[in-house]
Amino acid sequence: QKEVEQNSGPLSVPEGAIASLNCTYSDRGSQSFFWYRQYSGKSPELIMFIYSNGDKEDGRFTAQLNKASQYVSLLIRDSQPSDSATYLCAVRLYNTDKLIFGTGTRLQVFP
Amino acid sequence: DTGVSQDPRHKITKRGQNVTFRCDPISEHNRLYWYRQTLGQGPEFLTYFQNEAQLEKSRLLSDRFSAERPKGSFSTLEIQRTEQGDSAMYLCAGRAGGDTGELFFGEGSRLTVL
């Protein structure tokens, strides 16, 4: 089992819709959870992080964490074509200082 | 702009040659990380430094790879006797102090080994 799993997609949503991106992780002791956006040929850009159960909102983005289910998600409201990118989930495992990344989910927002 | 700069941005080399990448984080980044990313994959951890101390190395980092951060500021990643399988984007990331651990990536150095 991979430490961080994501559906590779592509996930296609129409402009204005809500995009829901999901991630599961295997280490129950994981401490912090991150979402990065990566445009083709570019480096990952931090969108937001979460470390407590529940929801965390930042503009059009909401991160949701459920430690009991070992599940973290990212919701993008009012999706725009400029949101089309690969979204990487990253997890800081228990007692480490490194982040482990999933393979990413490719999101396509069509007009 | 994260303030993390990498050089060179692109490197094309022939198999068997040595290459070196440099990363300059901002002064607040006491921790510095190297990752490697190939097409369709997420970044894979290679190594990280806290100040000048190299605290962890991945099993992915073979004997041909070496990283340094001599004065706790910039870092270099050298690959000796490059192989075609080394072709990838090499990403450097900085991290400030604190518990949450978010990393801020530079623009990456893309290596192509012919």
Side-chain angles (χ1 to χ4, degrees), chain B residues 67-108:
Chain B
E68 294 183 336
R69 196 183 183 196
K71 297 182 180 179
S73 55
F74 73 93
S75 176
T76 58
L77 175 69
E78 181 183 18
I79 309 174
Q80 295 182 325
R81 305 182 303 282
T82 52
E83 302 172 356
Q84 287 185 325
D86 297 331
S87 296
M89 175 80 87
Y90 289 85
L91 295 162
C92 174
R95 176 188 160 188
D99 292 335
T100 50
E102 60 268 39
L103 302 185
F104 298 95
F105 285 90
E107 293 179 321

Side-chain angles (χ1 to χ4, degrees), chain B residues 7-55:
Chain B
D7 182 73
R9 296 287 311 281
H10 302 274
K11 179 71 175 178
I12 300 174
T13 191
K14 293 183 178 179
R15 189 176 53 189
Q17 298 296 303
N18 299 344
V19 297
T20 299
F21 301 113
R22 176 178 170 126
C23 174
D24 286 86
I26 62 175
S27 58
E28 290 82 357
H29 292 161
N30 62 341
R31 296 179 190 183
L32 185 149
Y33 296 73
W34 285 99
Y35 283 79
R36 178 174 68 187
Q37 187 176 25
T38 54
L39 196 62
Q41 300 298 313
E44 296 174 297
F45 170 78
L46 293 179
T47 188
Y48 90 95
F49 295 83
Q50 181 166 327
N51 300 315
E52 66 274 9
Q54 188 173 19
L55 295 188

Side-chain angles (χ1 to χ4, degrees), chain A residues 1-109:
Chain A
Q1 182 185 7
K2 289 185 179 179
E3 291 170 303
V4 181
E5 296 209 50
Q6 296 181 259
N7 187 318
S8 60
L11 172 66
S12 293
V13 301
E15 184 174 357
I18 296 175
S20 178
L21 303 155
N22 305 314
C23 172
T24 58
Y25 59 94
S26 61
D27 182 357
R28 187 169 289 278
S30 297
Q31 300 173 330
S32 311
F33 308 86
F34 305 82
W35 283 100
Y36 285 81
R37 176 175 62 198
Q38 187 172 29
Y39 293 112
S40 181
K42 303 295 185 181
S43 65
E45 171 192 7
L46 180 67
I47 298 175
M48 60 193 307
F49 65 88
I50 186 168
Y51 51 87
S52 298
N53 272 330
D55 295 0
K56 179 180 179 182
E57 186 174 320
D58 184 0
R60 295 188 297 114
F61 299 96
T62 298
Q64 300 176 317
L65 175 61
N66 184 327
K67 288 187 177 181
S69 300
Q70 295 174 239
Y71 178 91
V72 58
S73 64
L74 180 70
L75 301 179
I76 306 174
R77 288 182 299 281
D78 188 24
S79 295
Q80 300 297 308
S82 59
D83 294 326
S84 298
T86 295
Y87 289 80
L88 297 162
C89 172
V91 174
R92 182 181 168 199
L93 305 180
Y94 174 72
N95 208 29
T96 74
D97 267 336
K98 64 187 180 189
L99 300 190
I100 303 300
F101 285 82
T103 56
T105 298
R106 189 157 63 94
L107 173 67
Q108 294 177 336
V109 181

